[in-house]
Amino acid sequence: MGKRGAIRCPREEMLMQESRAHWDRVYDSKAEGELSWYQERPAVSLDLIHRAGTPKEAAIIDIGGGTSRLAEALLAEGFRNLTALDISEAALIAARRRLGPGASRVNWIAADVTRWDPQESFALWHDRAAFHFLIEAPAREAYARCAIKALRPGGHIIIGTFAPDGPQRCSGLPVMRHDAASLSAVLGGGFTLLDSRRDDHLTPSGKVQKFQFALFRREA
Ligand SMILES: C[S@@+](CC[C@H](N)C(=O)[O-])C[C@H]1O[C@@H](n2cnc3c(N)ncnc32)[C@H](O)[C@@H]1O
């Protein structure tokens, strides 16, 4: 199905394989509605995409898209250049199955975003609840380098993570919580913060999770 990043050192390769195996197990063993991050409509993400003024033909990528309903919501609005990237092939298979015939209108990439080498340019990079799993600085730096390479100047990046008062773990893994300032620091001076929102996500089991979303523009 997809393109994978280049192989690096054995430890990195082992960690990447463990991460991929973890996420494959999650998506192979749970239905969509059993996932704590499930949402029927990605309302905040859509709001921020509208706020970015992204044209319908613009190239949009959803990083760590999992089985999110963002792609079908965007297709329904007339966006037509969509890519979903996830480390888990099982997630992408489940997402494609749910989309049915619409799946052929999305470009699917199975890759670890911290090792991915983008070959095309995107107008908008969206990430809800993938970046916060990068708890080591080198991984966050690799993510930022990848985003800078993938985003065209003037393009936008939306990152949603657990907020500073949000959960410390997700899917059994530790996370790093963020506010707009820490996200801004990771991306560096080439990005301008345009919007910052907090969101209370209600999990399918009825718990509230505090999220932080930020929208940045990549300066020329
Ligand atoms: C909590 S889920 C969120 C899924 C989706 N964004 C949503 O809002 O429904 C995190 C997703 O990030 C993916 N992921 C985790 N680490 C990743 C990485 N290094 N590269 C790409 N995807 C990753 C997982 O496979 C999973 O689908």
Side-chain angles (χ1 to χ4, degrees):
M1 175 192 314
K3 311 160 192 169
R4 293 199 190 279
I7 306 296
R8 291 192 197 152
C9 78
R11 179 176 177 272
E12 275 183 15
E13 178 62 16
M14 192 190 73
L15 289 175
M16 196 277 278
Q17 286 189 11
E18 277 176 12
S19 174
R20 192 198 308 156
H22 168 85
W23 290 106
D24 279 346
R25 269 195 308 277
V26 168
Y27 285 106
D28 278 338
S29 62
K30 290 194 177 187
E32 183 193 21
E34 294 175 307
L35 302 169
S36 60
W37 52 91
Y38 169 74
Q39 49 178 191
E40 200 173 318
R41 185 173 164 76
V44 178
S45 301
L46 289 167
D47 248 28
L48 289 172
I49 291 169
H50 298 152
R51 165 91 169 76
T54 312
K56 295 288 196 271
E57 67 282 2
I60 296 178
I61 184 160
D62 190 17
I63 299 295
T67 51
S68 161
R69 297 188 167 214
L70 183 65
E72 56 230 79
L74 291 174
L75 285 174
E77 289 191 16
F79 289 93
R80 45 189 180 271
N81 189 349
L82 304 181
T83 298
L85 177 147
D86 202 283
I87 198 169
S88 164
E89 196 128 10
L92 298 182
I93 289 168
R96 286 159 72 107
R97 192 178 303 127
R98 202 193 56 243
L99 260 168
S104 62
R105 296 158 65 201
V106 178
N107 178 32
W108 305 92
I109 299 177
D112 176 344
V113 64
T114 66
R115 300 154 53 100
W116 181 51
D117 184 18
Q119 298 300 316
E120 61 175 305
S121 186
F122 294 89
L124 188 130
W125 169 295
H126 171 271
D127 173 338
R128 172 180 179 264
F131 179 71
H132 61 198
F133 292 105
L134 306 181
I135 58 170
E136 292 184 14
R140 290 192 296 279
E141 286 157 14
Y143 179 103
R145 277 195 303 277
C146 182
I148 290 164
K149 182 166 183 207
L151 260 185
R152 66 164 175 74
H156 293 86
I157 178 163
I158 295 166
I159 306 184
T161 65
F162 283 162
D165 53 348
Q168 298 188 34
R169 299 181 76 81
C170 177
S171 187
L173 301 175
V175 301
M176 181 163 176
R177 300 173 293 177
H178 289 276
D179 57 17
S182 65
L183 292 172
S184 192
V186 171
L187 293 175
F191 288 83
T192 302
L193 177 66
L194 300 182
D195 203 335
S196 169
R197 309 237 181 125
R198 288 178 51 93
D199 180 48
D200 283 352
H201 167 62
L202 190 62
T203 70
S205 66
K207 292 197 181 99
V208 172
Q209 294 182 330
K210 304 276 184 194
F211 267 78
Q212 158 72 47
F213 282 81
L215 165 68
F216 300 87
R217 183 179 55 237
R218 186 183 165 204
E219 300 307 339

CSV table of all heavy atoms in Angstrom, one decimal, residues 128-166:
chain,number,residue,atom,x,y,z
A,128,ARG,N,-4.0,15.2,14.7
A,128,ARG,CA,-4.8,15.2,16.0
A,128,ARG,C,-4.3,13.9,16.7
A,128,ARG,O,-4.5,12.8,16.3
A,128,ARG,CB,-6.3,15.1,15.8
A,128,ARG,CG,-7.1,14.9,17.1
A,128,ARG,CD,-8.6,14.9,16.9
A,128,ARG,NE,-9.3,14.6,18.1
A,128,ARG,CZ,-9.7,13.4,18.5
A,128,ARG,NH1,-9.5,12.3,17.7
A,128,ARG,NH2,-10.4,13.3,19.6
A,129,ALA,N,-3.6,14.1,17.8
A,129,ALA,CA,-3.3,13.1,18.8
A,129,ALA,C,-2.3,12.1,18.3
A,129,ALA,O,-2.3,10.9,18.7
A,129,ALA,CB,-4.5,12.3,19.2
A,130,ALA,N,-1.4,12.5,17.4
A,130,ALA,CA,-0.2,11.6,17.0
A,130,ALA,C,1.1,12.3,17.6
A,130,ALA,O,1.9,11.6,18.2
A,130,ALA,CB,-0.1,11.4,15.5
A,131,PHE,N,1.2,13.6,17.4
A,131,PHE,CA,2.4,14.3,17.8
A,131,PHE,C,2.7,14.0,19.3
A,131,PHE,O,3.9,13.9,19.7
A,131,PHE,CB,2.4,15.8,17.5
A,131,PHE,CG,3.6,16.5,18.0
A,131,PHE,CD1,4.8,16.4,17.3
A,131,PHE,CD2,3.5,17.4,19.1
A,131,PHE,CE1,5.9,17.1,17.7
A,131,PHE,CE2,4.6,18.1,19.5
A,131,PHE,CZ,5.8,17.9,18.8
A,132,HIS,N,1.7,13.9,20.1
A,132,HIS,CA,2.0,13.9,21.6
A,132,HIS,C,2.6,12.5,22.0
A,132,HIS,O,3.1,12.4,23.1
A,132,HIS,CB,0.7,14.2,22.5
A,132,HIS,CG,-0.5,13.4,22.3
A,132,HIS,ND1,-1.7,13.8,22.8
A,132,HIS,CD2,-0.7,12.2,21.9
A,132,HIS,CE1,-2.6,12.9,22.5
A,132,HIS,NE2,-2.0,11.9,22.0
A,133,PHE,N,2.7,11.6,21.1
A,133,PHE,CA,3.4,10.3,21.4
A,133,PHE,C,4.9,10.5,21.3
A,133,PHE,O,5.6,9.6,21.7
A,133,PHE,CB,2.9,9.2,20.6
A,133,PHE,CG,1.5,8.8,20.9
A,133,PHE,CD1,0.4,9.1,20.1
A,133,PHE,CD2,1.2,8.1,22.1
A,133,PHE,CE1,-0.9,8.8,20.4
A,133,PHE,CE2,-0.1,7.7,22.4
A,133,PHE,CZ,-1.1,8.1,21.6
A,134,LEU,N,5.3,11.6,20.7
A,134,LEU,CA,6.8,11.8,20.5
A,134,LEU,C,7.3,12.4,21.8
A,134,LEU,O,7.3,13.6,22.0
A,134,LEU,CB,7.0,12.7,19.3
A,134,LEU,CG,6.4,12.2,18.0
A,134,LEU,CD1,6.7,13.1,16.9
A,134,LEU,CD2,6.8,10.7,17.7
A,135,ILE,N,7.8,11.5,22.7
A,135,ILE,CA,8.2,12.0,24.0
A,135,ILE,C,9.7,12.3,24.1
A,135,ILE,O,10.2,12.8,25.1
A,135,ILE,CB,7.8,11.0,25.2
A,135,ILE,CG1,8.3,9.6,24.9
A,135,ILE,CG2,6.3,10.9,25.3
A,135,ILE,CD1,8.2,8.7,26.1
A,136,GLU,N,10.4,11.9,23.0
A,136,GLU,CA,11.9,12.2,23.0
A,136,GLU,C,12.2,13.3,22.1
A,136,GLU,O,11.6,13.4,20.9
A,136,GLU,CB,12.6,10.9,22.6
A,136,GLU,CG,12.5,9.9,23.7
A,136,GLU,CD,13.4,8.6,23.4
A,136,GLU,OE1,14.2,8.7,22.5
A,136,GLU,OE2,13.1,7.6,24.0
A,137,ALA,N,13.1,14.2,22.5
A,137,ALA,CA,13.3,15.4,21.7
A,137,ALA,C,13.8,15.1,20.2
A,137,ALA,O,13.3,15.8,19.3
A,137,ALA,CB,14.4,16.3,22.4
A,138,PRO,N,14.7,14.1,20.0
A,138,PRO,CA,15.1,13.9,18.6
A,138,PRO,C,13.9,13.5,17.7
A,138,PRO,O,13.8,13.9,16.5
A,138,PRO,CB,16.0,12.7,18.8
A,138,PRO,CG,16.6,12.8,20.2
A,138,PRO,CD,15.4,13.3,21.0
A,139,ALA,N,12.9,12.8,18.3
A,139,ALA,CA,11.7,12.4,17.5
A,139,ALA,C,10.9,13.7,17.1
A,139,ALA,O,10.4,13.9,16.0
A,139,ALA,CB,10.9,11.4,18.2
A,140,ARG,N,10.8,14.6,18.1
A,140,ARG,CA,10.0,15.8,17.8
A,140,ARG,C,10.7,16.7,16.8
A,140,ARG,O,10.1,17.3,15.9
A,140,ARG,CB,9.8,16.6,19.1
A,140,ARG,CG,8.8,16.0,20.1
A,140,ARG,CD,8.4,16.9,21.2
A,140,ARG,NE,9.5,17.3,22.1
A,140,ARG,CZ,10.0,16.5,23.1
A,140,ARG,NH1,9.4,15.4,23.3
A,140,ARG,NH2,11.0,16.9,23.8
A,141,GLU,N,12.1,16.7,16.9
A,141,GLU,CA,12.9,17.5,16.0
A,141,GLU,C,12.7,16.9,14.5
A,141,GLU,O,12.6,17.6,13.6
A,141,GLU,CB,14.3,17.5,16.4
A,141,GLU,CG,14.5,18.4,17.6
A,141,GLU,CD,15.8,18.1,18.4
A,141,GLU,OE1,16.7,17.3,17.9
A,141,GLU,OE2,15.9,18.6,19.5
A,142,ALA,N,12.7,15.5,14.5
A,142,ALA,CA,12.6,14.9,13.1
A,142,ALA,C,11.2,15.2,12.6
A,142,ALA,O,11.0,15.4,11.4
A,142,ALA,CB,12.8,13.4,13.3
A,143,TYR,N,10.2,15.2,13.4
A,143,TYR,CA,8.8,15.5,13.0
A,143,TYR,C,8.8,17.0,12.4
A,143,TYR,O,8.2,17.2,11.4
A,143,TYR,CB,7.9,15.4,14.2
A,143,TYR,CG,6.4,15.8,14.0
A,143,TYR,CD1,5.5,14.7,13.9
A,143,TYR,CD2,6.0,17.1,14.0
A,143,TYR,CE1,4.1,15.0,13.7
A,143,TYR,CE2,4.6,17.3,13.8
A,143,TYR,CZ,3.7,16.3,13.7
A,143,TYR,OH,2.4,16.6,13.5
A,144,ALA,N,9.4,17.9,13.2
A,144,ALA,CA,9.4,19.3,12.7
A,144,ALA,C,10.1,19.4,11.4
A,144,ALA,O,9.7,20.1,10.4
A,144,ALA,CB,10.1,20.2,13.8
A,145,ARG,N,11.3,18.7,11.2
A,145,ARG,CA,12.0,18.8,9.9
A,145,ARG,C,11.1,18.2,8.8
A,145,ARG,O,11.1,18.8,7.7
A,145,ARG,CB,13.3,17.9,10.0
A,145,ARG,CG,14.5,18.6,10.7
A,145,ARG,CD,15.8,17.9,10.4
A,145,ARG,NE,15.8,16.5,10.8
A,145,ARG,CZ,16.0,16.1,12.1
A,145,ARG,NH1,16.3,17.0,13.0
A,145,ARG,NH2,16.0,14.8,12.4
A,146,CYS,N,10.4,17.2,9.1
A,146,CYS,CA,9.5,16.6,8.1
A,146,CYS,C,8.4,17.5,7.7
A,146,CYS,O,8.1,17.7,6.5
A,146,CYS,CB,9.0,15.3,8.6
A,146,CYS,SG,7.9,14.4,7.5
A,147,ALA,N,7.8,18.2,8.7
A,147,ALA,CA,6.7,19.1,8.5
A,147,ALA,C,7.2,20.3,7.6
A,147,ALA,O,6.6,20.7,6.7
A,147,ALA,CB,6.1,19.6,9.8
A,148,ILE,N,8.4,20.8,7.9
A,148,ILE,CA,9.0,21.9,7.2
A,148,ILE,C,9.2,21.5,5.7
A,148,ILE,O,8.9,22.3,4.8
A,148,ILE,CB,10.3,22.4,7.9
A,148,ILE,CG1,9.9,23.1,9.2
A,148,ILE,CG2,11.1,23.4,7.0
A,148,ILE,CD1,11.1,23.3,10.1
A,149,LYS,N,9.7,20.3,5.5
A,149,LYS,CA,10.0,19.8,4.2
A,149,LYS,C,8.7,19.6,3.4
A,149,LYS,O,8.6,19.9,2.2
A,149,LYS,CB,10.8,18.5,4.2
A,149,LYS,CG,11.1,18.1,2.8
A,149,LYS,CD,12.2,17.0,2.7
A,149,LYS,CE,12.4,16.7,1.2
A,149,LYS,NZ,12.9,15.4,1.0
A,150,ALA,N,7.7,19.2,4.1
A,150,ALA,CA,6.4,18.8,3.4
A,150,ALA,C,5.5,20.0,3.1
A,150,ALA,O,4.7,20.0,2.2
A,150,ALA,CB,5.6,17.8,4.3
A,151,LEU,N,5.6,21.1,4.0
A,151,LEU,CA,4.7,22.2,3.8
A,151,LEU,C,5.2,23.3,2.9
A,151,LEU,O,6.4,23.7,3.1
A,151,LEU,CB,4.5,22.8,5.2
A,151,LEU,CG,3.3,22.5,6.0
A,151,LEU,CD1,3.3,23.4,7.3
A,151,LEU,CD2,2.0,22.7,5.3
A,152,ARG,N,4.4,23.7,2.0
A,152,ARG,CA,4.9,24.8,1.1
A,152,ARG,C,4.9,26.1,1.9
A,152,ARG,O,4.1,26.2,2.9
A,152,ARG,CB,4.0,24.9,-0.1
A,152,ARG,CG,2.6,25.3,0.2
A,152,ARG,CD,1.9,25.8,-1.1
A,152,ARG,NE,0.5,26.1,-0.9
A,152,ARG,CZ,0.0,27.2,-0.3
A,152,ARG,NH1,0.8,28.0,0.2
A,152,ARG,NH2,-1.3,27.4,-0.2
A,153,PRO,N,5.7,27.1,1.6
A,153,PRO,CA,5.7,28.4,2.3
A,153,PRO,C,4.3,29.0,2.2
A,153,PRO,O,3.7,28.9,1.1
A,153,PRO,CB,6.7,29.2,1.5
A,153,PRO,CG,7.7,28.2,0.9
A,153,PRO,CD,6.8,27.0,0.6
A,154,GLY,N,3.8,29.5,3.2
A,154,GLY,CA,2.4,30.0,3.2
A,154,GLY,C,1.4,28.9,3.6
A,154,GLY,O,0.2,29.2,3.8
A,155,GLY,N,1.9,27.7,3.7
A,155,GLY,CA,1.0,26.6,4.1
A,155,GLY,C,0.7,26.6,5.6
A,155,GLY,O,1.3,27.4,6.4
A,156,HIS,N,-0.2,25.8,6.0
A,156,HIS,CA,-0.7,25.8,7.4
A,156,HIS,C,-0.5,24.4,8.1
A,156,HIS,O,-0.5,23.4,7.4
A,156,HIS,CB,-2.2,26.1,7.5
A,156,HIS,CG,-2.4,27.5,7.1
A,156,HIS,ND1,-2.7,27.9,5.7
A,156,HIS,CD2,-2.5,28.7,7.8
A,156,HIS,CE1,-2.9,29.2,5.7
A,156,HIS,NE2,-2.8,29.7,6.9
A,157,ILE,N,-0.2,24.5,9.4
A,157,ILE,CA,-0.1,23.2,10.2
A,157,ILE,C,-1.1,23.3,11.4
A,157,ILE,O,-1.1,24.4,12.1
A,157,ILE,CB,1.4,23.0,10.5
A,157,ILE,CG1,1.5,21.7,11.4
A,157,ILE,CG2,2.0,24.1,11.2
A,157,ILE,CD1,2.9,21.2,11.5
A,158,ILE,N,-1.8,22.3,11.6
A,158,ILE,CA,-2.7,22.2,12.7
A,158,ILE,C,-2.2,21.0,13.6
A,158,ILE,O,-2.1,19.9,13.0
A,158,ILE,CB,-4.2,21.9,12.3
A,158,ILE,CG1,-4.7,23.1,11.5
A,158,ILE,CG2,-5.1,21.7,13.5
A,158,ILE,CD1,-5.9,22.9,10.7
A,159,ILE,N,-1.9,21.2,14.8
A,159,ILE,CA,-1.6,20.1,15.7
A,159,ILE,C,-2.5,20.1,16.9
A,159,ILE,O,-2.6,21.1,17.6
A,159,ILE,CB,-0.1,20.2,16.2
A,159,ILE,CG1,0.8,20.3,14.9
A,159,ILE,CG2,0.3,19.0,17.0
A,159,ILE,CD1,2.3,20.4,15.3
A,160,GLY,N,-3.1,19.0,17.2
A,160,GLY,CA,-3.9,18.8,18.4
A,160,GLY,C,-3.3,17.7,19.2
A,160,GLY,O,-2.9,16.6,18.8
A,161,THR,N,-3.1,18.1,20.5
A,161,THR,CA,-2.4,17.2,21.5
A,161,THR,C,-3.2,17.2,22.8
A,161,THR,O,-4.1,18.1,23.0
A,161,THR,CB,-1.0,17.6,21.8
A,161,THR,OG1,-1.0,18.8,22.5
A,161,THR,CG2,-0.1,17.7,20.6
A,162,PHE,N,-2.9,16.3,23.7
A,162,PHE,CA,-3.4,16.5,25.0
A,162,PHE,C,-2.8,17.8,25.6
A,162,PHE,O,-1.6,18.1,25.4
A,162,PHE,CB,-3.0,15.3,25.9
A,162,PHE,CG,-3.8,14.1,25.7
A,162,PHE,CD1,-3.4,12.9,26.1
A,162,PHE,CD2,-5.0,14.1,25.1
A,162,PHE,CE1,-4.1,11.7,25.9
A,162,PHE,CE2,-5.8,13.0,24.8
A,162,PHE,CZ,-5.3,11.8,25.3
A,163,ALA,N,-3.7,18.6,26.3
A,163,ALA,CA,-3.3,19.8,26.9
A,163,ALA,C,-2.5,19.6,28.2
A,163,ALA,O,-2.5,18.5,28.7
A,163,ALA,CB,-4.5,20.6,27.2
A,164,PRO,N,-1.8,20.6,28.8
A,164,PRO,CA,-1.1,20.4,30.0
A,164,PRO,C,-1.9,19.8,31.1
A,164,PRO,O,-1.3,19.1,32.0
A,164,PRO,CB,-0.6,21.9,30.3
A,164,PRO,CG,-0.5,22.5,29.0
A,164,PRO,CD,-1.7,22.0,28.2
A,165,ASP,N,-3.2,20.0,31.2
A,165,ASP,CA,-4.0,19.4,32.2
A,165,ASP,C,-4.8,18.2,31.6
A,165,ASP,O,-5.8,17.7,32.2
A,165,ASP,CB,-5.0,20.4,32.8
A,165,ASP,CG,-5.8,21.1,31.7
A,165,ASP,OD1,-5.5,21.0,30.5
A,165,ASP,OD2,-6.8,21.8,32.0
A,166,GLY,N,-4.3,17.7,30.5
A,166,GLY,CA,-4.9,16.5,29.9
A,166,GLY,C,-4.3,15.2,30.5
A,166,GLY,O,-3.4,15.3,31.3
